[in-house]
Amino acid sequence: MVSSCAAAQRDTRDVALLAVSKTFDADAVREAAACGQRAFGENYIQEAVEKIALLADLGLEWHCIGPVQSNKTRLVAQNFDWVHTIDRLKIAQRLSEQRPPSMAPLNCCLQVNIDGGATKSGLAPEEVATLAREVMALPGLRLRGLMTLPEPADRVEDQLTVHRRARALFDTLRAQGLPLDTLSMGMSGDMEAAIAAGSTMVRVGTALFGRRPARA
Ligand SMILES: *Cc1c(COP(=O)(O)O)cnc(C)c1O
């Protein structure tokens, strides 16, 4: 990540590293935390909640980066600091209602289907502004930005094209007055292109933890 920032002439302080610890156990997270990593991303909510409990003593920041079904909103609202995958008002409303008043509002990114995959989750780019304003009105949530999860592409040029489109949308929405400070974009295979295109948070799993074990 440091070399990707250097290549893009960006300050490392402007790009946050989210360590994606899905499928790795609490000890692996503890090791990464001992090296100074504070923010961790998880996809599978039940698995994450167990880890979060085991590691409560460390005061880490937990990001939900997997899909959130209605029956899982309460677990997310009660356990996470961030959720990156909001693409429906109904889920946002439930998260807001279920966020315990004793906790800070849940930080949210709206997931955008930036490369137009027909079966994919995420909002169409033209839908984002409306949901963003609805989320801003929910007291249990704090709108932070956008998240993208494009189809993997081998060629850096193709990665850049898609990531630049996301950054342009992010800039347009900010110019319209939406208070967005986070563009969650880029993974192990495309973080260099994502950082070059203006990501502010890369979600990195295998490049940090190694290959994931198969899920049981
Ligand atoms: C697994 C995952 C990542 C990390 O992927 P790597 O290729 O291991 O870096 C990032 N974002 C999401 C949404 C994921 O599901």
Side-chain angles (χ1 to χ4, degrees):
M1 204 198 111
V2 171
S3 64
S4 300
C5 285
Q9 299 188 350
R10 293 192 57 198
D11 194 313
T12 48
R13 282 169 302 191
D14 296 337
V15 187
L17 174 62
L18 181 62
V20 176
S21 45
K22 65 183 177 201
T23 76
F24 289 95
D25 64 13
D27 286 340
V29 175
R30 203 171 272 284
E31 237 174 84
C35 300
Q37 179 65 29
R38 309 306 305 164
F40 292 86
E42 291 281 339
N43 287 57
Y44 311 110
I45 291 158
Q46 194 63 52
E47 172 194 317
V49 166
E50 289 163 27
K51 250 183 262 184
I52 293 170
L54 283 170
L55 298 166
D57 57 307
L58 297 179
L60 302 174
E61 183 179 282
W62 292 97
H63 295 235
C64 176
I65 61 171
V68 181
Q69 312 296 338
S70 296
N71 62 355
K72 292 283 165 51
T73 51
R74 187 174 299 280
L75 282 178
V76 173
Q78 291 178 340
N79 289 281
F80 283 87
D81 302 292
W82 286 68
V83 55
H84 290 223
T85 49
I86 294 197
D87 62 0
R88 285 192 288 151
L89 179 59
K90 184 183 157 212
I91 297 292
Q93 285 169 330
R94 289 176 64 93
L95 289 169
S96 177
E97 281 160 20
Q98 294 167 348
R99 183 69 167 172
S102 59
M103 296 175 83
L106 180 61
N107 296 292
C108 292
C109 292
L110 304 185
Q111 185 173 350
V112 188
N113 180 356
I114 198 69
D115 54 351
T119 60
K120 289 177 56 176
S121 29
L123 297 153
E126 61 275 14
E127 296 171 330
V128 175
T130 302
L131 185 59
R133 293 193 191 283
E134 289 166 339
V135 165
M136 282 171 68
L138 296 173
L141 303 186
R142 178 170 170 215
L143 179 67
R144 297 297 298 268
L146 307 181
M147 180 273 215
T148 64
L149 185 55
E151 285 303 306
D154 289 336
R155 294 177 56 232
V156 173
E157 289 76 21
D158 298 335
Q159 297 172 1
L160 275 171
T161 303
V162 172
H163 289 325
R164 284 189 181 126
R165 202 183 303 152
R167 178 69 204 205
L169 175 66
F170 180 73
D171 289 339
T172 300
L173 294 167
R174 285 182 6 145
Q176 291 170 7
L178 290 172
L180 310 180
D181 64 8
T182 302
L183 180 55
S184 164
M185 170 169 98
M187 322 202 323
S188 297
D190 62 354
M191 72 175 144
E192 178 137 2
I195 289 171
S199 168
T200 73
M201 188 182 288
V202 287
R203 309 179 307 266
V204 181
T206 44
L208 284 174
F209 291 102
R211 266 195 65 200
R212 278 183 285 277
R215 281 192 86 213

